[in-house]
């Protein structure tokens, strides 16, 4: 089995993230992908989110930060909700409660089984793989690719690896380095840009 990869190409990333928005509109699936790409949360933490985690019922607005206790590490994370996440969540909120009253204890990514249960990890995997395949991505893409894609593009935009290590709550720099999936072509780019 090959290692899960980040989506490095910006064109491929746009096709991937817009699959459930433009090609096969499904607000739940689109929101899952946008949230995963923009928060770097593990899929296990994303699937446990409820509306009261991201929406302030008193002010009727999206919260500015998401507070999460990571299931895997038990560590606390505070994540700023950027414009992309907030816009997507507002649209998804309107869609989710268009025919029924708002329920703050409802899971964001509700299963279609009729109960207040989140979709399963395997269903999240199918959602992501379907979008990846439709986008022509031939490398190994999985739920973890969302987390890795965040780090790769943050690194390419100049975020220091030590800060990424902190954002990921990694215990060592070597783990973060592996996440970035730096390959020879990225190393070559550094050498070719330097002219001393």
């Amino acid at each position: 089995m090959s290692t899960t990869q980040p989506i490095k190409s910006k064109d491929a990333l746009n096709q991937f993230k817009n699959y459930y928005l433009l090609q096969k509109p499904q607000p739940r699936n689109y929101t899952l992908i946008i949230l995963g790409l923009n928060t770097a949360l593990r899929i296990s933490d994303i699937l446990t989110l409820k509306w009261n985690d991201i929406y302030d019922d008193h002010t009727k607005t999206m919260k500015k930060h998401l507070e999460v206790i990571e299931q895997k590490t038990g560590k606390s994370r505070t994540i700023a909700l950027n414009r992309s996440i907030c816009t997507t969540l507002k649209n998804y909120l309107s869609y989710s409660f268009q025919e029924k009253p708002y329920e703050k204890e409802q899971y964001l990514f509700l299963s279609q089984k009729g109960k207040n249960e989140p979709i399963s990890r395997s269903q999240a995997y199918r959602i992501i793989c379907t979008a990846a395949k439709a986008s022509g991505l031939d490398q190994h893409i999985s739920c973890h690719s969302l987390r890795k894609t965040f780090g790769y593009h943050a690194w390419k935009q100049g975020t220091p690896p030590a800060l990424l290590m902190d954002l990921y709550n990694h215990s060592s720099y070597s783990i973060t380095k592996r996440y970035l999936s730096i390959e020879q072509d990225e190393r070559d780019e550094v050498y070719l840009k330097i002219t001393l």
Side-chain angles (χ1 to χ4, degrees), residues 83-102:
R83 189 176 338 152
S84 178
I85 295 172
C86 288
T87 300
T88 301
L89 286 170
K90 284 177 194 172
N91 292 335
Y92 184 48
L93 176 72
S94 296
Y95 171 81
S96 297
F97 297 106
Q98 62 186 345
E99 296 177 8
K100 58 184 178 179
Y102 167 74

Side-chain angles (χ1 to χ4, degrees), residues 15-45:
Q15 285 183 344
F16 170 75
K17 74 179 185 180
N18 289 323
Y19 175 73
Y20 290 112
L21 179 67
L22 304 173
Q23 290 184 324
K24 190 177 178 185
Q26 293 185 11
R28 180 194 69 187
N29 298 353
Y30 175 70
T31 304
L32 175 73
I33 287 173
I34 295 300
L35 197 63
L37 287 171
N38 286 277
T39 63
L41 284 171
R42 291 177 184 86
I43 198 67
S44 56
D45 294 320

Side-chain angles (χ1 to χ4, degrees), residues 132-159:
K133 185 176 179 182
S135 303
L137 293 165
D138 56 357
Q139 69 263 40
H140 182 68
I141 301 297
S142 71
C143 297
H144 218 57
S145 294
L146 303 180
R147 185 169 159 84
K148 287 186 170 190
T149 299
F150 170 89
Y152 178 81
H153 286 279
W155 171 70
K156 289 296 271 186
Q157 292 174 21
T159 303

Side-chain angles (χ1 to χ4, degrees), residues 42 73 75 147 161-180:
R42 291 177 184 86
T73 66
K75 295 177 182 177
R147 185 169 159 84
L163 181 54
L164 287 172
M165 180 181 157
D166 182 59
L167 291 172
Y168 277 132
N169 271 334
H170 283 161
S171 57
S172 74
Y173 177 66
S174 62
I175 296 170
T176 304
K177 205 163 94 175
R178 221 177 30 243
Y179 260 59
L180 299 179

